[in-house]
Amino acid sequence: MKNAYLLSVLETVKKRNPGEPEFIQAVTEVFETLEPVVEKRPDLVEAGVFDRIVEPERQIIFRVPWVDDQGKVQVNRGFRVQFNSAIGPYKGGIRLHPSVYSGIIKFLGFEQIFKNSLTSLPMGGAKGGSDFDPKGKSDGEVMRFCQSFMTELYRHVGADCDVPAGDIGTGAREIGYLFGQYKRLQNVFTGVLTGKGLTFGGSLARTEATGFGLCYFTEEMLKANGKCFAGKTVVISGSGNVAIYATKKATELGAKVVALSDSNGYVYDKNGIDLALVKQIKEVERKRIKEYVKTHPEAEYHEGCKGIWTIPCDIALPCATQNEIDGESAAILAKNGCFCVSEGANMPSTPEAIEVYFANNMLYGPAKAANAGGVATSGLEMSQNSQRYSWSFEEVDAKLHGIMVNIFKACDSASKEYGMPGNYMAGANIAGFLKVAEAMKAQGCV
Ligand code: NDP
Ligand code: 2IT
């Protein structure tokens, strides 16, 4: 990055957010691609949009005490970062994972601003979470944690103010407990969370949305470059919500998904992953992916997550967590003939990995665009809740598909307009930024 103004804003971000490398990484990536915007739009510099957009509007950090099954008091730390409300109420998921601290929540909240803007729906950016680990906890413990978490959070959120949802460690079970406690405390039945159960205001296709949306975006990107999923070998990391439904859609589009993983290791099934079994292991039994080989002895299980990127494939869809593909793994993917990486997870590629993609002319679908289908369908859930109505699976799925096609078009045209054709990362950052920036400028210095 050469622009002196952007460099000075980035310096301030580094000083204000010490010890938060993930947040600095996310801001740096966005700023690097916004250099041509700074040159073309001095009015946005004048309005202080760049200085303002990197500072969250509000950050809430709170104690989450709860009692475990042994009667012992446990204490976790809760976060909600309300990053930007220029184009709509704050919106973004809640991550429950031991690695959560303010740097993780801030990077995710910052990314969410641009992602939500790309969906074309009126949603601002936010993220929340806790260092609570749902793994190995009983349903009762998870419920008591969620109730305690919401007992503080309820005063900061609301259907027209801030609408949380799922993310790592937060699925239908957790959203149900959080919703129940919010309703009890506020005595209102509103769409304060998305990803709700279908019996209490959830949208059909929200469960599938991130994985399906990832494949819709990727298929569009492939098509624009004379390629498609059909007949291709695909490696997908993770085996949670995003990975499972990406596997389902990629398979429906004619690809063969040969690997999935969790934080312990990965399975390689050259015949194609048996998704019904994975759903049973992960969604029903909440067990480890290594269980897979017990009933599929022809498949291989390897300890450690990184090795999954050494499996030869045409298309890689990282759907686990941040920085899971480093420069070394990216180089192995490229050497093995992988021509497309499209991101279901948030910021799964390190800056070095992204350099490798571009150096090898690989198609790169950046997270902000490629995984926006989840939050887009959350936006559709909010619309249905406001209308007190619900749409069929087919209606929601068709809307999701249309949104993902439009997101690809927006990335493609911004990349061309700003002189970086084919760089969908730059296109996503620029297109996502411009809408929010115009709104921030119009609303004055707030
Ligand atoms: P889940 O909790 O359902 O699944 C997460 C998966 O990733 C699990 O297989 C988990 O393995 C693995 N994983 C998590 N942390 C790590 C880690 N540190 N190292 C290796 N593997 C890890 O979460 P989701 O599927 O919802 O989320 C996956 C990614 O997609 C995240 O980056 C999330 O931010 C992003 N995303 C999610 C959306 C959604 O709607 N849910 C929307 C857009 C993006 P294990 O079980 O061993 O922890
Ligand atoms: O990262 C994300 O976009 C999500 N976890 C989904 C957020 C949402 O509000 O549906």
Side-chain angles (χ1 to χ4, degrees):
M1 187 167 30
K2 293 189 199 78
N3 186 280
Y5 167 64
L6 285 176
L7 281 169
S8 77
V9 179
L10 186 60
E11 252 342 281
T12 307
V13 173
K14 287 180 182 166
K15 276 204 197 103
R16 277 208 182 121
N17 302 279
E20 298 184 354
E22 297 86 359
F23 178 48
I24 308 297
Q25 182 184 336
V27 175
T28 305
E29 182 216 284
V30 170
F31 272 19
E32 277 172 351
T33 57
L34 291 182
E35 285 195 286
V37 180
V38 170
E39 280 150 31
K40 235 180 170 163
R41 296 293 305 272
D43 59 313
L44 298 179
V45 176
E46 180 74 19
V49 166
F50 298 88
D51 309 75
R52 288 189 281 142
I53 206 165
V54 293
E55 184 64 19
E57 290 176 14
R58 191 176 296 107
Q59 305 185 54
I60 301 138
I61 302 183
F62 51 100
R63 179 168 72 194
V64 189
W66 56 280
V67 178
D68 70 17
D69 285 349
Q70 283 69 49
K72 192 168 174 293
V73 172
Q74 300 285 343
V75 178
N76 286 99
R77 182 172 282 186
F79 300 88
R80 187 72 182 167
V81 175
Q82 298 178 331
F83 224 115
N84 194 296
S85 61
I87 65 167
Y90 305 109
K91 181 84 195 85
I94 290 178
R95 177 173 293 191
L96 299 180
H97 193 272
S99 63
V100 164
Y101 77 106
S102 57
I104 294 281
I105 301 301
K106 264 190 233 166
F107 113 67
L108 289 163
F110 183 71
E111 297 274 295
Q112 202 80 41
I113 303 171
F114 308 96
K115 183 196 303 192
N116 293 4
S117 165
L118 284 169
T119 66
S120 75
L121 301 173
M123 299 182 289
K127 201 82 186 194
S130 175
D131 55 4
F132 174 79
D133 187 358
K135 231 175 277 161
K137 303 286 192 301
S138 69
D139 287 352
E141 289 176 323
V142 170
M143 181 180 76
R144 291 192 293 280
F145 167 83
C146 288
Q147 290 178 340
S148 180
F149 187 86
M150 187 52 89
T151 299
E152 173 58 36
L153 191 67
Y154 86 97
R155 66 188 92 245
H156 308 290
V157 297
D160 293 319
C161 162
D162 182 358
V163 182
D167 193 77
I168 290 176
T170 307
R173 174 182 60 172
E174 290 74 18
I175 294 293
Y177 295 149
L178 290 165
F179 180 79
Q181 184 71 352
Y182 179 85
K183 181 166 62 63
R184 181 192 195 190
L185 289 166
Q186 291 285 44
N187 195 26
V188 288
F189 193 113
T190 58
V192 63
L193 292 144
T194 58
K196 299 184 292 298
L198 297 177
T199 54
F200 53 98
S203 174
L204 286 158
R206 175 61 187 91
T207 306
E208 292 83 355
T210 312
F212 278 24
L214 169 65
C215 292
Y216 295 150
F217 177 92
T218 307
E219 183 74 340
E220 209 55 30
M221 175 171 74
L222 292 168
K223 235 167 55 190
N225 291 277
K227 298 186 161 67
C228 63
F229 264 116
K232 304 300 184 303
T233 299
V234 178
V235 164
I236 299 183
S237 63
S239 49
N241 173 264
V242 181
I244 285 175
Y245 293 97
T247 302
K248 179 159 192 241
K249 187 52 72 177
T251 309
E252 282 173 17
L253 291 169
K256 184 160 81 170
V257 178
V258 294
L260 285 176
S261 63
D262 61 23
S263 57
N264 292 104
Y266 65 95
V267 287
Y268 172 44
D269 187 340
K270 61 180 186 319
N271 301 321
I273 288 286
D274 174 353
L275 192 60
L277 174 61
V278 173
K279 287 180 71 163
Q280 176 66 24
I281 296 169
K282 286 289 171 182
E283 294 182 341
V284 182
E285 298 169 13
R286 296 183 186 273
K287 285 189 176 155
R288 312 308 301 159
I289 197 74
K290 73 170 168 223
E291 298 286 316
Y292 187 95
V293 292
K294 283 191 181 156
T295 48
H296 283 271
E298 73 287 3
E300 301 167 17
Y301 174 74
H302 299 270
E303 283 289 329
C305 326
K306 219 181 137 178
I308 194 170
W309 309 119
T310 64
I311 299 169
C313 65
D314 302 306
I315 297 168
L317 304 177
C319 294
T321 194
Q322 64 276 351
N323 291 327
E324 55 172 315
I325 305 185
D326 59 12
E328 189 191 356
S329 295
I332 297 170
L333 282 169
K335 189 174 121 264
N336 286 339
C338 172
F339 62 79
C340 170
V341 178
S342 200
E343 300 179 331
N346 285 306
M347 206 171 75
S349 306
T350 65
E352 296 75 27
I354 297 171
E355 269 176 38
V356 172
Y357 306 153
F358 286 124
N360 288 278
N361 290 318
M362 292 159 80
L363 294 174
Y364 172 46
K368 285 181 201 79
N371 75 29
V375 74
T377 308
S378 281
L380 300 176
E381 183 170 327
M382 290 165 72
S383 300
Q384 294 168 81
N385 291 166
S386 298
Q387 289 183 63
R388 301 190 191 284
Y389 192 66
S390 61
W391 301 326
S392 69
F393 186 96
E394 290 70 26
E395 280 174 282
V396 179
D397 190 37
K399 285 182 167 61
L400 167 64
H401 185 261
I403 288 169
M404 298 316 293
V405 169
N406 285 337
I407 292 176
F408 175 73
K409 284 187 186 147
C411 297
D412 189 37
S413 51
S415 77
K416 288 175 180 149
E417 195 185 329
Y418 282 82
M420 295 171 274
N423 182 341
Y424 306 122
M425 171 179 75
N429 290 342
I430 293 170
F433 170 80
L434 281 174
K435 179 179 173 187
V436 178
E438 301 290 4
M440 288 175 72
K441 183 185 161 196
Q443 291 169 31
C445 184
V446 290

